[in-house]
Structure formats: C-alpha cells, structure tokens
Amino acid sequence: MSPRTSLLVLLGATLASGCGAEPSSSGVPLALDVMIDRAVADELGAFQVVVLPNGQSRRCGDLQRTCLNQQVRPEDALVLEGPDGKKARGVRFTAGLDRGAQELAVDIPVGRDYVVIIEALSRSSPPRFLGSSCNYLESVSSTRNAALIAAPITLVGSECDPTFAP
C-alpha cells in the first residue's frame, strides 16, 4: 500500500466577498455553492494548494494575510503529488469554476495535524496573490479519506508572487 493517499479538496469559496454561500435547500448536501464577482472572475487564473504540518499550532488568520511563501520556509511545506503525477510543495490547478464548483485532487502524505492552504492566483505573469482559504485537517489515512470542503477564500489582494519552490 502506498504511503500516500489521495485527498479530494472541494473548493468552496465565495470569491466576491470572502463569505460562505447560503446552503442549498434541496435537502441533498452539496459540496459548495460559488458566486464570483465579475471583476474577480476576470482576474482569477489558478488555485495553488499547499499543506503544512503542525496545523493546530498555526493561525489561519495570519496565514491568509499574504502569500504563504513569504511566511513559511519552502521546506516546511509537504511535498504533494498532483493529478498529473508531478510532485511539488505547491500544486497548481487552472481555475475552472464555470460549473459552480471545482474539485481538486491532491495526494497528501499519510499523517496527522495538517493545515491546507488554497491560494487564489491571478492570471498575470508572474501571478499575483488574490486571497486564500485555510483549512485544518485532522488526519490523512492510507485507506479512505472524506473530502475536505474548503473554507471560503478570504480576498486580500497583494502584490506578492505566490509561486512556491518545488
């Protein structure tokens, strides 16, 4: 059995205001409802997923203020594997919220007490940090893991380049 397991991260963000969307009244749980401000939608180019160990010792409010790579050493982030098989400390996904939701699948090492940061990146080159979602993850097992429904992305906008070193 592989020491890594796939964790499905469902991006649940109200990008327009940084607040969660109202729950659906259909009676069937939905992963998320997404609303995007037109100005933000035009800027949004990708999402970057970064996972840090010792999650409970970290303060999400602090981690969401600016680019994560300006706050932690690159070697502190776990090496993840994206759906394309590439390994990196920051796995990127092209934004595709046209269906109202976006599923991000990332292989995260088996372990406990993580914090998962999902950064929204601009289309520009180099990309610019638009905001992030911070999510505590109690554990990842080598068997079956429940999907993580991401907290709303808090928009802050910053001129920093969020590129995480491989």
Side-chain angles (χ1 to χ4, degrees):
M1 190 174 306
S2 169
R4 303 174 80 78
T5 188
S6 181
L7 177 70
L8 182 66
V9 178
L10 297 174
L11 182 59
T14 303
L15 296 175
S17 64
C19 299
E22 291 188 25
S24 171
S25 61
S26 68
V28 177
L30 296 176
L32 57 106
D33 292 326
V34 178
M35 296 181 297
I36 302 173
D37 182 299
R38 191 78 175 133
V40 174
D42 290 344
E43 282 188 67
L44 184 62
F47 296 104
Q48 177 173 261
V49 178
V50 178
V51 179
L52 301 172
N54 306 314
Q56 291 300 319
S57 68
R58 300 178 190 271
R59 296 176 56 167
C60 278
D62 293 341
L63 295 173
Q64 291 177 278
R65 287 194 180 119
T66 188
C67 292
L68 189 60
N69 67 3
Q70 292 183 338
Q71 302 175 66
V72 299
R73 297 179 317 210
E75 59 271 13
D76 288 347
L78 300 179
V79 175
L80 309 174
E81 185 174 333
D84 58 0
K86 292 183 181 176
K87 294 182 180 184
R89 295 186 188 279
V91 177
R92 287 203 182 171
F93 298 86
T94 301
L97 295 172
D98 52 326
R99 296 173 306 281
Q102 183 161 353
E103 295 179 0
L104 311 175
V106 180
D107 283 346
I108 297 176
V110 171
R112 304 183 70 71
D113 191 24
Y114 294 145
V115 65
V116 178
I117 307 293
I118 303 170
E119 294 181 306
L121 313 179
S122 70
R123 294 181 187 277
S124 60
S125 183
R128 189 174 52 85
F129 175 77
L130 298 175
S132 66
S133 169
C134 183
N135 309 271
Y136 293 107
L137 181 60
E138 187 176 313
S139 67
V140 175
S141 78
S142 60
T143 56
R144 189 172 178 97
N145 293 288
L148 172 67
I149 299 177
I153 287 182
T154 301
L155 293 175
V156 292
S158 179
E159 293 303 315
C160 61
D161 178 355
T163 303
F164 232 84

